[in-house]
Structures are given as structure tokens and as C-alpha cells.
């Protein structure tokens, strides 16, 4: 038995150490995004302060504050008596906790040294401040000019193993966003293995917090999960090889009282498409540690002498205005400083995708007829989905053809160019605009029944002699191999060069089951990003859409290259309200593909009015149709041109504006959302009724984010002040279930 005694000497010594730390000195934190006062550091945004310092006695980095603006001296954080098994290291807020040395909480880095042990001692060595920020070789990353962002790089060094870690802190002051990443370098003489690495680790003070994540599965993505942070470790992540439907690489920490519009919220978003891990631990002293980074089960990354490993970026934002404020910061930052495409905030044509209308059963004539129907109802883009390719193994079902990216000669005897020319000669609606043409591909996959697999079975991911597990009758190509990357780049380039193709839907319909080693997952990601980067750079005028059985890869890594992502294979409009608003916790609506589909819905069997379906789809940046107009009722088909016209009218607001989630479907029978244009002059309100409201009054929908002193004209009719609209609100009487209304607001 250990007898615990009051150790006044240790406590006094600790207070003396803290008293000499530069962090308690006054700093001028009002003028510069980054201030370094000796070895005390402050990152300053419009509404956020992030401060930490070097502990002179240990060389460790200790956190002081991450929250609302603070200036001048910071009160000492009392550690109290140091008794029991947890020493001083386990009782302080560490910026980059390594393995060992008395901190029993989960570490941000675990290195297996060449001798086999996993202890590290990374201490402060130096720092530098950089205007702007650098790219991360091989990885997607936020970007900005010297006016947009500043970067602090803190270098740590382990003198026992000669391992260095450079911690990068980039601050975008306008967005209250701090972007973290780590670069680890082996300066020693032997090989080491990085077994786990978090892009971000932060310790928040002792207080009750709740954590919010996005969970789900195929066709039910982005369901919000909110739970109390308990003592111990609470984790989620993905081991599927990709970011996945199951859990999204996003975390929010909030106060119990935080709502959409009130209270503090800390949001974290990992810029990565591979397997990941999120760990939240409330330690024995009450601090809450959050880590986001690689999934340690799929890393084991070996570093030879002189080699480095860069972590993905993690974007963190602070909001004093609840979850809504957090989301709007992410949305603006990602639209302007993550997505590279010229289509990030413009030119999203209303489209019709052939999949739910024709599936993979079609010929050249039926495709043309569907394209003609598309043009007649006003669509501006026709997309040919799965089933157009394969020669020796024609793609007439999902059992063959993947990997053989040549037109099926039975369906397109003269290749794609003639049918594409015929389709793009069509005029969209009653306009002089030619219909555009897009195509579906799934280049990361291969069917065993394909010419490609027969010639290169070794290109499929596999683990030695173990069986190759098929899903949807397909295997995953190993994009860690340069020859596979080159094959995909050439195959897709040949398709795009063969005809006037202006849109690509890039799909990915299964997870990774077997890998030759854990490190293959990250190597795959580096290969995939190289493919994305080369193709989008080579074809900048192509609008690229990401898809992974819906939202299986809805993550910031994909958004770097593809400005929009198919949000879910569930196109049921009622389900989509939850999915799209859930996704919007971290991702801008401008990035969401959302389509009006046929009824009864393929996933749920539900039938809802065509206007309701169209209004829900308009809340995404890429509005489209997922049906065959020829099979619709005359009344529903007649409504399509008007819905497309309305979607085109409001689309600039969706692409550039701020989203205010007014009512959530899990809380109200009347979900509602308001989009306010970037200049504040226009806004569009979406209001829905789910269940009937019989013999009862209707609630008022209170708006948010308006100018209280200004007046707003509602749908060109009545005019009300912003104060009235926000404090009193508007009523919307619906006579049936599944009622919907889209309301335009013009600032006077």
C-alpha cells in the first residue's frame, strides 16, 4: 500500500516554475495574428485567442487558453499538490503529449525506436513565424495569402533518439480558425516506426463538456450524435480505409448549454480521406484531451534515417455563437481557402443523372431520349452513369467491366464522341444554351471479371495468400503503386479527351478489406491525392463530383480537389433534410450534391410532393434530377421547369451565402433553414412541415442573422424589419403533410 502525503515542497517548486514562465507576462495580442514573447506564444483571431508556452524546466509545451479573446497576463493555473501515481506531467495541459514520462493519458505520438522501446522526450528547440502558410507535400491543405493566414512553427527535439517534430500552427484570423499539423523527422542512425500520430492534440480546462460527432452508414449518413464527455476515453473513427459513412472525421466539443445560436463550441475537422481516429479523454484531473489524426491500427509508418512523415492538417475553429457560428466558420474557410476548383462558388448547372431513371440497362437510343427529356424540362447538364464501358467484359451488371475504361461497343459502336456531340447539340429548355455532358467513373476499383484484372491481378489490394474479399463483386486497386496511379490518370484522361465532357462523377463503392501492411492505407491516400491533383490540374474546366456510395468520402481531403460531393444515395427528401443539415455541421452546403428523385423513393418507398422534393434538393449547391421525366405524372413533369428555374435563381445564395439552421428535424415538425447572401442583400428561407397539423395553430419561424435595423421585402410583397423577422417571425400554414415553401427576402 502507498501512503499518500501532502507534498508541499513539490507544490511550492511547481508554483515557482510556473511563476517564471513567460506566459504570465503581458502581451500585445491586439495587433498581430501571432505574437511570440520569448517562449510564450499567442495566436489571435477576430474572436479567439490560443495561447501556450514552454515549460522551462521540462522543455514541454503547455497550453494556457483556447477560447474567447484574452489579453495581458494570464492567471496561474493551480495544479495543487502532486500526490499519487500521476505526476506533474499528467496534471498539466500539454500541446503535444508524447509517450511515457508520467502522463498516463493518450499520447499524440507513439514512436517505436530502433531499440524497440516507445518512450519519447520531445522538448522545445526553436520556433519561427512565417507569413502565409506552406503546402504539405502530397497532402491536401488549406491555403491563403500573407493577408489571410500566418503560421507559427515550433520545433521539438528528442536528444536521446534524434527524432524531431515540427508543430505547425496556422491562424486564419477572419474565421477564428487554427490549423494544426505535425512533421516528424528521423535524424538518428536506425530505423524507427511511427505507430500513432495525431495532427492535433488539445487539452481543455476542467469543466463539463459534451462531444458531437456525425455517425451513420450507407444511405443514412451524418446523423448527429451528442453525448457527455465522461471520465476515460471516448473514441470513434474509421478503419474502412476511407473516411467512411460510419463516422466522419469531425468533432465538436461544446458546453452542455450550447445550442445552434448560443454558447461556446470548439470544432475540429481533419483534412484527410483515409482511416482516422478521434479520441476524447477526460483524465483523472478533469482536463479534456481531444486528438484527431491517423488510425493507429493502419499506420506503422517506418522512417529510415533522414526520412519524414507529415500528418494531415486538422482545422479547429472556436465559436462563441453556438454550433451555427462554428459551422459558418468552417463553410466560409472551406469555400475560400480549401477548395481549389474554379467552380467552388459558381457555375453549378442543374443536371439529370441517368442512374435512377435507367440504371445500367440502356442503349444509345434510350440514352439520347433521356437526354432529350432532360433538355426539355430545363436541365443544363446530362450525366451518363454506370454501364457505358467494357469491351471484352461489357458492363451490363455490377459483376464485370470495372477497370476497362473503353466504351461498350455493343452500346456505343462508334465510341462516345458521336452520342456526346448529339446530346450537346440539344438546347436546354427554351434557351439558346447547349446541354452539357457528364460521365460516371469508378477508377479506383476493378472487377475480377475484367481485362485489367486478368492482366494485372497483382494490382488489386491483397494480403499475401489470404482470400481477396469482394464487395459489390469488386476489388480495390492498390493506389500506393505508381503504375496503378499512372494507369488511372491515363484512363481518365483518354475518356475526357475523347469527347466534349464537362463533368465527372468519381465514385468509390466499397471499403478496403485487406492490405499487405498497415502503412499501405496512407500510401494509398498519397497515391490517390496525386491522381486527383494531376487530373484536376490537367482538366480545370471539368466540374468534378466526388462520390463513395453516397457520402462515404464526404471529407475536406476530397473537397480540396472536387468542389462537390454526392451527399447520400438516400434521395428520399424527408431523410435528406436530416442528412444535409447534419452534413452542414462541418461542410458547406455549396459542396452538397442533392437531387429530386422519382417516387415511390427507391430507398424508403415514400411518396412526397414534387415541390417538397425539389425544395429540399435546392438546399444543396448542386441541384439535379434523379429520374426519367417520361415516367412522371403529367402534373409532376410540368412542375420541373419551374423548380429548375427557382433552383437557378437561388443557387448563387446557396453557393456563397451563410447558413442558419433555424429548426432541426429531430427537434421540430417544421424544419427550417435560412441562407443569407454574402453581401446580405438577398436571403432565401426554406420551411417544411413533416406531419399533418390538424385543427391547431402554426408556430412562427424566427429568422436569424438579419440586419435588425433594415427592412426586408418578402417574396416581393410585404415588408418587415429585420428585428420583427428575428424576434416575432413568420407563420406558414400548411394544409397537408410534407408541405414546403421557399421564400425570397430582399433587403431594402
Amino acid at each position: 500500500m502507498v501512503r499518500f502525503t501532502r507534498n508541499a515542497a513539490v507544490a511550492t517548486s511547481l508554483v515557482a516554475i510556473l511563476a517564471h514562465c513567460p506566459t504570465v507576462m503581458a502581451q500585445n495580442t491586439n495587433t498581430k495574428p501571432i505574437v511570440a514573447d520569448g517562449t510564450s506564444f499567442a495566436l489571435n483571431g477576430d474572436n479567439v485567442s490560443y495561447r501556450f508556452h514552454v515549460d522551462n524546466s521540462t522543455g514541454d509545451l503547455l497550453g494556457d487558453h483556447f477560447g474567447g479573446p484574452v489579453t495581458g497576463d494570464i492567471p496561474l493555473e493551480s495544479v495543487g499538490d502532486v500526490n499519487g501515481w500521476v505526476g506533474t506531467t499528467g496534471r498539466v495541459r500539454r500541446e503535444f503529449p508524447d509517450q511515457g514520462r508520467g502522463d498516463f493519458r493518450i499520447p499524440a505520438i507513439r514512436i517505436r525506436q530502433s531499440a524497440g522501446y516507445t518512450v519519447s522526450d520531445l522538448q522545445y528547440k526553436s520556433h519561427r513565424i512565417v507569413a502565409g502558410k506552406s503546402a504539405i507535400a502530397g497532402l491536401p491543405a488549406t491555403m491563403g495569402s500573407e493577408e489571410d493566414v500566418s503560421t507559427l512553427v515550433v520545433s521539438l527535439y528528442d536528444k536521446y533518439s534524434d527524432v524531431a517534430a515540427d508543430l505547425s500552427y496556422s491562424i486564419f484570423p477572419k474565421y477564428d480558425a487554427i490549423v494544426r499539423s505535425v512533421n516528424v523527422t528521423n535524424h538518428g542512425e536506425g530505423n524507427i516506426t511511427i505507430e500513432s500520430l495525431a495532427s492535433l492534440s488539445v487539452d481543455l480546462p476542467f469543466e463539463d463538456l459534451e462531444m458531437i460527432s456525425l455517425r451513420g452508414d450507407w444511405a443514412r449518413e451524418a446523423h448527429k450524435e451528442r453525448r457527455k464527455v465522461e471520465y476515460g476515453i471516448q473514441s470513434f473513427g474509421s478503419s474502412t480505409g476511407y473516411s467512411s459513412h460510419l463516422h466522419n472525421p469531425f468533432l465538436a466539443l461544446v458546453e452542455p448549454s450550447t445550442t445552434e445560436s448560443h454558447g461556446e463550441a470548439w470544432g475540429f475537422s481533419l483534412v484527410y480521406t483515409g482511416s482516422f481516429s478521434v479520441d476524447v479523454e477526460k483524465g483523472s484531473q478533469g482536463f479534456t484531451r481531444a486528438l484527431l489524426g491517423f488510425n493507429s491500427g493502419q499506420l506503422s509508418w517506418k522512417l529510415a534515417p533522414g526520412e519524414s512523415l507529415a500528418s494531415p492538417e486538422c482545422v479547429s475553429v472556436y465559436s462563441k455563437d453556438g454550433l451555427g457560428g462554428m459551422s459558418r466558420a468552417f463553410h466560409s474557410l472551406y469555400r475560400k481557402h480549401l477548395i481549389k476548383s474554379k467552380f467552388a462558388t459558381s457555375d453549378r448547372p442543374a443536371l439529370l443523372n441517368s442512374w435512377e431513371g435507367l440504371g445500367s440497362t440502356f442503349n444509345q437510343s434510350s440514352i439520347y431520349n433521356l437526354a432529350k427529356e432532360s433538355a426539355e424540362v430545363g436541365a443544363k447538364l446530362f450525366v451518363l452513369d454506370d454501364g457505358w464501358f467494357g469491351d471484352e467484359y461489357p458492363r451490363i451488371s455490377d459483376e464485370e467491366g470495372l477497370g476497362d475504361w473503353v466504351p461498350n461497343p455493343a452500346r456505343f459502336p462508334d465510341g462516345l464522341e458521336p452520342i456526346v456531340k448529339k446530346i450537346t447539340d440539344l438546347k436546354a429548355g427554351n434557351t439558346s444554351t447547349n446541354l452539357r455532358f457528364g460521365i460516371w467513373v469508378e477508377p479506383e476499383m476493378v472487377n475480377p471479371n475484367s481485362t485489367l484484372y486478368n492482366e494485372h491481378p497483382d494490382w488489386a489490394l491483397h494480403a499475401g495468400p489470404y482470400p481477396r474479399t469482394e464487395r459489390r463483386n469488386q476489388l480495390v486497386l492498390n493506389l500506393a503503386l505508381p503504375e496503378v496511379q499512372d494507369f488511372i490518370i491515363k484512363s481518365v484522361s483518354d475518356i475526357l479527351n475523347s469527347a466534349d465532357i464537362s463533368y465527372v462523377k468519381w465514385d468509390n463503392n466499397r471499403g478496403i478489406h485487406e492490405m499487405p501492411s498497415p502503412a499501405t492505407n496512407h500510401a494509398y491516400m498519397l497515391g490517390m491525392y496525386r491522381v486527383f491533383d494531376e487530373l484536376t490540374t490537367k482538366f480545370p474546366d471539368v466540374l468534378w463530383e466526388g462520390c463513395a456510395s453516397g457520402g462515404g468520402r464526404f471529407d475536406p481531403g476530397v473537397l480540396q480537389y472536387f468542389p462537390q460531393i454526392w451527399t447520400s444515395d438516400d434521395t428520399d427528401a424527408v431523410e435528406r433534410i436530416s442528412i444535409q443539415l447534419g452534413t452542414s455541421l462541418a461542410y458547406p452546403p455549396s459542396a452538397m450534391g442533392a437531387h429530386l428523385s422519382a417516387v415511390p423513393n427507391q430507398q424508403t418507398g415514400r411518396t412526397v410532393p414534387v415541390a417538397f422534393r425539389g425544395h429540399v434538393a435546392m438546399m444543396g449547391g448542386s441541384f439535379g434530377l434523379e429520374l426519367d421525366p417520361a415516367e412522371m405524372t403529367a402534373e409532376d413533369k410540368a412542375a420541373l421547369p419551374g423548380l429548375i428555374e427557382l433552383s437557378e435563381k437561388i443557387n448563387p445564395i446557396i453557393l456563397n451565402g451563410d447558413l442558419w439552421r433555424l429548426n432541426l428535424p429531430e427537434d421540430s415538425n417544421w424544419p427550417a433553414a435560412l441562407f443569407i447572401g454574402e453581401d446580405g442583400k438577398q436571403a432565401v428561407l426554406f420551411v417544411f412541415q413533416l406531419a399533418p397539423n390538424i385543427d391547431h395553430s402554426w408556430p412562427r419561424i424566427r429568422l436569424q442573422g438579419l440586419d435588425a435595423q433594415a427592412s426586408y421585402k418578402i417574396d416581393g410583397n410585404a415588408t418587415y424589419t429585420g428585428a420583427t423577422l428575428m424576434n416575432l417571425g413568420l407563420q406558414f400554414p400548411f394544409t397537408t403533410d410534407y408541405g414546403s415553401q421557399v421564400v425570397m427576402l430582399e433587403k431594402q
Side-chain angles (χ1 to χ4, degrees):
M1 177 179 291
V2 177
R3 177 175 295 172
F4 297 99
T5 60
R6 184 173 182 85
N7 193 331
V10 173
T12 301
S13 174
L14 182 59
V15 170
I17 291 170
L18 291 174
H20 287 85
C21 288
T23 187
V24 301
M25 300 299 217
Q27 300 186 59
N28 179 9
T29 58
N30 295 319
T31 57
K32 295 182 180 180
I34 299 176
V35 176
D37 179 5
T39 55
S40 179
F41 308 102
L43 288 82
N44 306 300
D46 290 354
N47 301 286
V48 68
S49 290
Y50 190 110
R51 291 177 65 168
F52 64 100
H53 70 276
V54 178
D55 183 335
N56 293 330
S57 65
T58 64
D60 209 357
L61 300 182
L62 302 184
D64 296 311
H65 176 73
F66 179 20
V70 296
T71 58
D73 292 350
I74 293 181
L76 287 173
E77 188 162 275
S78 177
V79 177
D81 295 339
V82 180
N83 276 320
W85 290 15
V86 178
T88 303
T89 308
R91 295 168 181 258
V92 292
R93 296 165 56 188
R94 305 177 70 196
E95 283 291 295
F96 192 65
D98 47 19
Q99 179 85 9
R101 300 195 291 131
D103 188 350
F104 297 110
R105 295 166 291 179
I106 188 168
I109 186 169
R110 182 181 294 109
I111 303 172
R112 183 169 294 280
Q113 311 288 357
S114 55
Y117 38 77
T118 57
V119 174
S120 296
D121 189 2
L122 290 161
Q123 298 187 23
Y124 170 83
K125 182 179 180 182
S126 64
H127 71 271
R128 66 183 189 276
I129 298 173
V130 180
K133 73 185 294 286
S134 300
I136 303 177
L139 287 170
T142 53
M143 53 198 176
S145 68
E146 295 180 4
E147 290 73 31
D148 300 316
V149 58
S150 302
T151 302
L152 168 68
V153 179
V154 180
S155 297
L156 308 179
Y157 194 75
D158 183 341
K159 64 183 179 181
Y160 304 101
S161 64
D162 291 322
V163 171
D166 289 336
L167 311 186
S168 176
Y169 298 75
S170 295
I171 182 161
F172 291 84
K174 180 180 177 181
Y175 307 94
D176 297 324
I178 296 159
V179 182
R180 297 270 301 271
S181 63
V182 184
N183 189 75
V184 181
T185 303
N186 179 12
H187 292 290
E189 297 181 355
N191 295 334
I192 65 173
T193 301
I194 310 299
E195 294 191 335
S196 67
L197 179 62
S199 301
L200 173 144
S201 174
V202 63
D203 289 347
L204 296 178
F206 170 49
E207 58 183 271
D208 289 331
L209 294 174
E210 294 178 350
M211 58 186 287
I212 298 174
S213 59
L214 297 174
R215 62 163 180 84
D217 209 317
W218 174 79
R220 53 177 174 86
E221 297 89 341
H223 282 53
K224 185 171 70 174
E225 184 79 10
R226 182 166 179 166
R227 51 183 161 143
K228 182 180 179 181
V229 176
E230 303 282 3
Y231 281 91
I233 299 174
Q234 293 109 95
S235 300
F236 63 88
S238 172
S239 58
T240 69
Y242 307 111
S243 48
S244 86
H245 307 79
L246 311 181
H247 298 283
N248 196 272
F250 159 79
L251 167 72
L253 293 174
V254 299
E255 296 176 322
S257 59
T258 295
T259 65
E260 272 291 321
S261 54
H262 298 93
E264 290 189 301
W266 294 261
F268 307 94
S269 179
L270 188 66
V271 186
Y272 194 55
T273 312
S275 293
F276 70 93
S277 180
V278 174
D279 299 289
V280 178
E281 179 177 10
K282 191 168 185 177
S284 65
Q285 297 295 308
F287 297 144
T288 295
R289 175 171 292 176
L291 303 98
L292 293 87
F294 291 113
N295 182 319
S296 59
Q298 296 182 6
L299 187 59
S300 293
W301 194 269
K302 289 182 170 51
L303 291 181
E307 291 184 341
S308 298
L309 172 65
S311 79
E313 284 190 344
C314 184
V315 179
S316 61
V317 301
Y318 167 76
S319 167
K320 61 180 176 53
D321 298 319
L323 290 169
M326 175 202 73
S327 295
R328 288 186 288 278
F330 276 128
H331 298 173
S332 296
L333 180 71
Y334 284 172
R335 285 196 307 260
K336 297 176 181 178
H337 297 286
L338 176 69
I339 302 172
K340 289 183 175 180
S341 171
K342 72 176 189 177
F343 299 102
T345 55
S346 66
D347 194 16
R348 304 289 185 86
L351 64 86
L352 186 144
N353 184 287
S354 69
W355 181 249
E356 288 198 24
L358 295 178
S360 59
T361 304
F362 55 80
N363 56 34
Q364 196 162 254
S365 296
S366 61
I367 286 296
Y368 177 74
N369 289 336
L370 183 59
K372 190 172 181 224
E373 291 274 358
S374 305
E376 288 175 355
V377 298
K380 306 301 187 295
L381 167 66
F382 175 77
V383 181
L384 175 59
D385 210 282
D386 196 358
W388 61 268
F389 54 91
D391 185 356
E392 186 179 1
Y393 296 87
R395 180 75 165 179
I396 57 176
S397 71
D398 65 12
E399 296 180 356
E400 51 196 342
L402 274 180
D404 300 342
W405 299 108
V406 294
N408 179 348
R411 291 181 171 177
F412 303 102
D414 299 315
L416 289 177
E417 200 279 332
I419 184 66
V420 172
K421 176 67 167 62
K422 192 175 179 182
I423 289 173
T424 54
D425 281 343
L426 293 168
K427 302 298 181 182
N430 297 316
T431 71
S432 60
T433 302
N434 284 59
L435 193 64
R436 303 188 206 180
F437 182 87
I439 202 160
W440 176 97
V441 294
E442 193 176 1
E444 298 166 68
M445 302 291 156
V446 64
N447 286 125
N449 293 326
S450 67
T451 303
L452 177 65
Y453 189 79
N454 286 340
E455 293 178 353
H456 298 287
D458 55 311
W459 282 9
L461 278 171
H462 63 283
Y466 286 92
R468 303 181 181 198
T469 306
E470 294 181 27
R471 188 78 181 97
R472 205 177 180 236
N473 304 302
Q474 63 195 53
L475 300 169
V476 184
L477 291 173
N478 186 357
L479 269 73
L481 301 175
E483 56 267 35
V484 173
Q485 301 165 27
D486 292 341
F487 169 79
I488 294 174
I489 292 169
K490 182 179 185 306
S491 297
V492 177
S493 296
D494 288 347
I495 295 167
L496 296 179
N497 287 326
S498 71
D500 183 11
I501 298 171
S502 58
Y503 165 102
V504 171
K505 179 178 179 179
W506 186 294
D507 210 344
N508 184 89
N509 279 305
R510 60 156 291 177
I512 297 173
H513 294 172
E514 293 94 22
M515 291 183 288
S517 73
T520 302
N521 183 233
H522 184 54
Y524 180 109
M525 286 301 121
L526 295 175
M528 185 194 75
Y529 290 138
R530 180 212 160 197
V531 170
F532 286 179
D533 185 58
E534 292 208 14
L535 283 171
T536 55
T537 300
K538 187 176 181 180
F539 298 98
D541 296 327
V542 170
L543 173 58
W544 300 80
E545 178 175 273
C547 177
S549 300
R553 294 200 305 202
F554 208 123
D555 62 68
V558 169
L559 285 180
Q560 173 96 101
Y561 312 99
F562 300 166
Q564 62 188 52
I565 299 173
W566 181 230
T567 318
S568 177
D569 278 350
D570 185 350
T571 58
D572 177 276
V574 177
E575 297 279 304
R576 268 303 190 103
I577 296 175
S578 294
I579 292 171
Q580 290 170 207
L581 291 182
T583 302
S584 75
L585 272 177
Y587 304 105
S590 62
M592 298 182 201
H595 295 174
L596 187 168
S597 64
V599 291
N601 182 264
Q602 284 191 4
Q603 286 77 38
T604 66
R606 182 167 16 216
T607 296
V608 301
V610 66
F612 188 102
R613 287 176 272 155
H615 293 162
V616 172
M618 289 176 201
M619 293 195 295
S622 176
F623 175 85
L625 308 176
E626 200 81 25
L627 45 75
D628 183 350
E631 296 183 356
M632 300 178 72
T633 66
E635 183 180 7
D636 282 0
K637 183 177 178 180
L640 291 182
L643 290 170
I644 290 175
E645 184 179 355
L646 178 59
S647 77
E648 292 172 338
K649 179 180 179 181
I650 68 175
N651 191 243
I653 301 174
I654 305 299
L655 291 179
N656 294 279
D658 283 334
L659 167 66
W660 299 76
R661 295 179 294 260
L662 304 179
N663 289 339
L664 299 175
E666 60 265 35
D667 300 328
S668 172
N669 188 48
W670 295 274
L674 178 69
F675 292 81
I676 302 178
E678 191 172 24
D679 60 6
K681 294 180 179 179
Q682 289 186 312
V684 56
L685 171 66
F686 295 86
V687 182
F688 304 94
Q689 176 170 283
L690 301 181
N693 187 47
I694 301 170
D695 193 22
H696 199 282
S697 62
W698 287 271
R700 289 187 178 271
I701 307 296
R702 294 183 181 181
L703 279 55
Q704 299 180 37
L706 301 178
D707 181 348
Q709 305 304 316
S711 294
Y712 293 85
K713 185 168 283 189
I714 310 300
D715 274 345
N717 298 312
T719 300
Y720 305 104
T721 66
T724 297
L725 293 171
M726 290 190 290
N727 296 317
L728 179 61
L730 297 171
Q731 277 186 314
F732 297 91
F734 295 110
T735 57
T736 68
D737 57 358
Y738 307 131
S740 63
Q741 193 161 340
V742 176
V743 180
M744 295 296 301
L745 288 77
E746 296 280 349
K747 188 176 182 180
Q748 301 304 293

